[in-house]
Amino acid sequence: MAATVLLVEDDPSIQKGLEMNLKIDGLRVLCASDGIAAVRAVRAAMPDLIILDLGLPGMDGFDVLREVRKDDSDVPILVLSARASEAEKVLGLSLGADDYVTKPFGLAELLARVRALLRRSRRRTSASVVKFGPVELDAEARVMKVNGAEIEVTALEFDLLKYLTDQPMRAVTREQIMQAVWGAGHAGTPRTVDNFIARLRSKIGDDPADPKFIETVRGVGYRFNPSG
Ligand code: CA
């Protein structure tokens, strides 16, 4: 899926040129020409990256940075500015900017920095390791550890556990599990899910008579309880 970049720039010629080149680079581009529109767009569209001009009408780029970080968003922000002083760079970075490019800038360099930021943040999100009780689930490496020791799991077992841990405390039906993990056109039955759950419980050391993490929800299916 194409990453979405929010381009915040009030100079129409820079905005047009950058928008075109980011699109050529395969990115989805949203544009905002002032700070208030920028903050609104961040909240509504949750972009994967923001390119932020500092000198904006109304609310300037520093205020946009403050607002976005106040929302606890960790979206990567690349500040683009004619203000080249060291003090301003430091202020921008201390407010939570991830990178800083001064105008006039080289297009190739800017695009390279955009790609680098997107790569870094993608790695950070997908490397997210889920931990509960003695279990550590690394989605990137597709490795499961129990008490620090790697435990062998099949691809389907891993996908099933990941599906459950992605939605803590939510009861899911066997049918939902089959759809999500086995996919449409699967040949399994609800009993297949039960067999997989039984194997997972034994691998993570969950007592089948009194499971703590993968709970049975009577008449429904299963629920993941991260606090056990
Ligand atoms: Ca400007």
Side-chain angles (χ1 to χ4, degrees), residues 8 29 60 90 102 104 167 174 202 213:
V8 188
V29 185
D60 78 5
V90 170
T102 40
Q167 34 196 348
R174 292 172 177 81
S202 109
F213 298 108

Side-chain angles (χ1 to χ4, degrees), residues 9-11 53 55-56 103:
E9 170 63 73
D10 62 322
D11 179 322
D53 178 29
L56 294 167
K103 291 176 183 171

Side-chain angles (χ1 to χ4, degrees), residues 36-156:
I36 291 164
V39 172
R40 206 177 298 140
V42 175
R43 288 179 184 150
M46 293 196 290
D48 300 296
L49 178 109
I50 303 171
I51 298 176
L52 179 64
D53 178 29
L54 283 185
L56 294 167
M59 180 186 196
D60 78 5
F62 288 124
D63 290 331
V64 174
L65 259 176
R66 281 192 196 93
E67 278 300 308
V68 171
R69 291 305 184 224
K70 209 172 71 190
D71 287 347
D72 209 27
S73 160
D74 57 2
V75 55
I77 300 178
L78 185 150
V79 164
L80 188 61
S81 175
R83 308 176 187 184
S85 87
E86 192 183 3
E88 291 203 293
K89 279 189 192 176
V90 170
L91 177 59
L93 294 170
S94 72
L95 286 175
D98 298 276
D99 204 353
Y100 206 111
V101 172
T102 40
K103 291 176 183 171
F105 55 89
L107 184 63
E109 185 197 347
L110 181 75
L111 293 176
R113 285 173 184 264
V114 165
R115 281 192 292 266
L117 280 176
L118 284 171
R119 228 174 12 243
R120 231 185 288 156
S121 76
R122 204 163 284 165
R123 206 175 304 140
R124 201 170 49 214
T125 16
S126 61
S128 66
V129 175
V130 180
K131 289 183 190 174
F132 60 95
V135 182
E136 214 183 290
L137 204 61
D138 184 333
E140 173 101 324
R142 292 187 67 87
V143 164
M144 180 171 90
K145 288 182 181 172
V146 178
N147 292 316
E150 197 173 321
I151 303 287
E152 240 182 272
V153 277
T154 67
L156 279 172

